[in-house]
Amino acid sequence: QKEVEQDPGPLSVPEGAIVSLNCTYSNSAFQYFMWYRQYSRKGPELLMYTYSSGNKEDGRFTAQVDKSSKYISLFIRDSQPSDSATYLCAMSLFSGGYNKLIFGAGTRLAVHP
Amino acid sequence: GAVVSQHPSWVICKSGTSVKIECRSLDFQATTMFWYRQFPKQSLMLMATSNEGSKATYEQGVEKDKFLINHASLTLSTLTVTSAHPEDSSFYICSGLAGVGGQFFGPGTRLTVL
């Protein structure tokens, strides 16, 4: 079993839809939970990060963490074609003196006009 | 946010040659940088962690003699793929650590070995 599970999709939605992206994890030692957006042939871009269980909102994006269920989500409201990208969840683990990131497989999202 | 650059963005080389990839933090000092490899339609896999002025720490299964990492300053880390072979063709991405849990990624370098 992978430490971080994420459905690779692809996920195709119409413009304006609410998108829900999810990851589950098995290691209760994970401390920070992040969502990255990666456009094709580009490096990942940090969208949001959270530490505790609960919701965090930033514009059209809401990150949700449920530590008891080991489940995190990213919601995108009023999705736009420019949101089409691969979304990677990542979790940090303090190991060897550093916060290492463990990535999910990434979910490919396509928002069509 | 913090900006990380990589050079080159794309490199093609012949089998058996060595290729150096540079990673720079442009507006912050990164005492720790990370190198990842990403195959098509797959996620990022951590290869190694480098700290300024010390030896890199490699993940299990990554050959340290093949992937040489040097972190000579607080803003520059280099990855050298020695004696590259076609199976080394991949997308190599670096990141710099800026604060707790905050890794900022470079745009990546696409390596194609013929």
Side-chain angles (χ1 to χ4, degrees):
Chain A
Q1 183 190 8
K2 293 180 181 177
E3 282 191 290
V4 180
E5 298 277 1
Q6 182 178 11
D7 186 340
L11 183 61
S12 181
V13 301
E15 183 175 356
I18 296 175
V19 176
S20 173
L21 304 166
N22 312 293
C23 287
T24 59
Y25 63 95
S26 57
N27 192 340
S28 58
F30 287 138
Q31 297 176 310
Y32 289 86
F33 305 89
M34 284 143 279
W35 286 95
Y36 286 86
R37 177 174 61 196
Q38 186 177 24
Y39 292 111
S40 181
R41 302 180 182 233
K42 300 290 184 184
E45 169 194 7
L46 179 65
L47 282 177
M48 300 186 72
Y49 75 92
T50 56
Y51 175 72
S52 56
S53 286
N55 293 352
K56 182 177 181 179
E57 190 174 317
D58 184 1
R60 296 185 295 112
F61 299 90
T62 299
Q64 192 174 76
V65 174
D66 182 346
K67 286 189 172 182
S68 62
S69 301
K70 296 189 177 67
Y71 188 88
I72 69 170
S73 300
L74 178 70
F75 298 97
I76 307 174
R77 290 184 300 279
D78 188 24
S79 57
Q80 303 294 310
S82 59
D83 294 328
S84 299
T86 296
Y87 290 80
L88 299 150
C89 64
M91 308 187 184
S92 73
L93 179 67
F94 193 76
S95 174
Y98 317 107
N99 270 319
K100 294 184 178 180
L101 290 183
I102 311 298
F103 283 89
T107 300
R108 285 181 289 133
L109 171 66
V111 181
H112 52 85
Chain B
V3 181
V4 175
S5 70
Q6 278 183 246
H7 178 80
S9 57
W10 192 9
V11 57
I12 301 174
C13 69
K14 292 182 179 180
S15 184
T17 60
S18 294
V19 174
K20 180 185 283 188
I21 302 170
E22 291 186 350
C23 176
R24 293 181 185 274
S25 55
L26 299 184
D27 54 0
F28 68 102
Q29 292 184 331
T31 54
T32 303
M33 287 184 167
F34 302 87
W35 285 95
Y36 296 83
R37 180 166 50 184
Q38 186 177 34
F39 291 106
K41 298 187 179 180
Q42 294 187 26
S43 192
L44 283 76
M45 298 299 296
L46 179 64
M47 297 175 66
T49 302
S50 75
N51 282 289
E52 184 263 336
S54 63
K55 289 183 179 180
T57 303
Y58 291 82
E59 295 299 301
Q60 193 172 8
V62 178
E63 299 174 60
K64 63 177 69 174
D65 294 331
K66 181 167 187 61
F67 299 99
L68 301 178
I69 292 172
N70 183 276
H71 195 155
S73 75
L74 290 173
T75 59
L76 174 64
S77 176
T78 60
L79 168 69
T80 301
V81 183
T82 62
S83 187
H85 291 283
E87 58 265 28
D88 299 322
S89 298
S90 188
F91 194 50
Y92 292 87
I93 307 175
C94 70
S95 71
L97 187 63
V100 179
Q103 284 189 35
F104 292 88
F105 288 82
T109 297
R110 184 162 302 280
L111 171 64
T112 301
V113 184
L114 302 177

Coordinates of all heavy atoms in Angstrom, one line a residue, chain A residues 29-34 90-94 99-102, chain B residues 101:
Chain A
A29 N 2.1 10.1 11.0 CA 3.1 11.1 11.3 C 3.2 12.3 10.4 O 4.0 13.2 10.6 CB 4.5 10.3 11.3
F30 N 2.5 12.2 9.3 CA 2.5 13.4 8.4 C 2.0 14.6 9.1 O 1.1 14.6 9.9 CB 1.6 13.2 7.2 CG 2.1 12.2 6.2 CD1 1.3 11.2 5.6 CD2 3.4 12.2 5.8 CE1 1.7 10.3 4.7 CE2 3.9 11.3 4.9 CZ 3.0 10.3 4.4
Q31 N 2.8 15.7 8.9 CA 2.5 17.0 9.7 C 1.8 18.0 8.8 O 0.9 18.7 9.3 CB 3.8 17.5 10.2 CG 4.5 16.5 11.1 CD 5.9 17.1 11.5 OE1 6.7 17.4 10.7 NE2 6.2 17.1 12.8
Y32 N 2.3 18.3 7.6 CA 1.7 19.3 6.8 C 1.1 18.7 5.6 O 1.6 17.7 5.1 CB 2.8 20.4 6.4 CG 3.2 21.3 7.5 CD1 4.3 20.8 8.3 CD2 2.7 22.5 7.7 CE1 4.7 21.6 9.4 CE2 3.1 23.3 8.8 CZ 4.1 22.9 9.6 OH 4.6 23.7 10.6
F33 N 0.1 19.3 5.1 CA -0.7 18.8 4.0 C -0.8 19.9 2.9 O -1.2 21.0 3.2 CB -2.1 18.3 4.4 CG -2.0 17.3 5.5 CD1 -2.0 17.8 6.8 CD2 -1.9 16.0 5.3 CE1 -1.9 16.9 7.9 CE2 -1.9 15.1 6.3 CZ -1.9 15.5 7.6
M34 N -0.3 19.6 1.7 CA -0.2 20.6 0.7 C -0.9 20.1 -0.6 O -1.1 18.9 -0.9 CB 1.2 20.9 0.4 CG 1.9 21.7 1.4 SD 3.6 21.3 1.7 CE 3.4 19.9 2.8
A90 N 0.4 16.5 -1.4 CA 1.7 16.2 -0.8 C 1.6 16.3 0.7 O 0.9 17.2 1.2 CB 2.8 17.1 -1.4
M91 N 2.4 15.5 1.3 CA 2.4 15.5 2.8 C 3.8 15.5 3.3 O 4.7 14.8 2.7 CB 1.6 14.3 3.3 CG 0.3 14.2 2.6 SD -0.8 12.9 3.2 CE -2.1 13.2 2.0
S92 N 4.0 16.3 4.3 CA 5.4 16.4 4.8 C 5.6 15.5 6.0 O 4.8 15.3 6.8 CB 5.7 17.8 5.2 OG 5.1 18.2 6.4
L93 N 6.8 14.9 6.0 CA 7.2 14.0 7.0 C 8.6 14.4 7.5 O 9.5 14.5 6.7 CB 7.3 12.6 6.5 CG 7.7 11.5 7.4 CD1 6.7 11.3 8.5 CD2 7.9 10.2 6.7
F94 N 8.7 14.7 8.8 CA 10.0 15.1 9.3 C 10.8 13.8 9.5 O 10.5 12.9 10.3 CB 9.8 15.8 10.7 CG 11.0 16.5 11.2 CD1 11.4 17.7 10.6 CD2 11.8 15.9 12.1 CE1 12.5 18.4 11.0 CE2 13.0 16.6 12.6 CZ 13.3 17.8 12.0
N99 N 11.9 18.2 6.5 CA 10.6 17.9 6.1 C 10.5 17.4 4.7 O 10.6 18.2 3.8 CB 9.7 19.2 6.3 CG 9.1 19.3 7.6 OD1 8.7 18.4 8.2 ND2 9.1 20.5 8.1
K100 N 10.4 16.1 4.5 CA 10.4 15.5 3.2 C 8.9 15.5 2.7 O 8.0 15.4 3.5 CB 10.9 14.1 3.2 CG 12.4 14.0 3.5 CD 12.8 12.6 3.4 CE 14.3 12.5 3.7 NZ 14.8 11.1 3.6
L101 N 8.8 15.7 1.4 CA 7.4 15.6 0.9 C 7.2 14.3 0.2 O 8.0 13.8 -0.5 CB 7.2 16.7 -0.2 CG 7.2 18.2 0.3 CD1 6.9 19.1 -0.8 CD2 6.1 18.3 1.4
I102 N 6.0 13.7 0.5 CA 5.6 12.5 -0.1 C 4.4 12.9 -1.0 O 3.4 13.4 -0.5 CB 5.1 11.4 0.9 CG1 6.2 11.2 2.0 CG2 4.8 10.1 0.2 CD1 7.5 10.7 1.4
Chain B
G101 N 8.0 23.3 6.0 CA 7.2 22.6 5.0 C 7.0 23.2 3.7 O 6.4 22.7 2.8

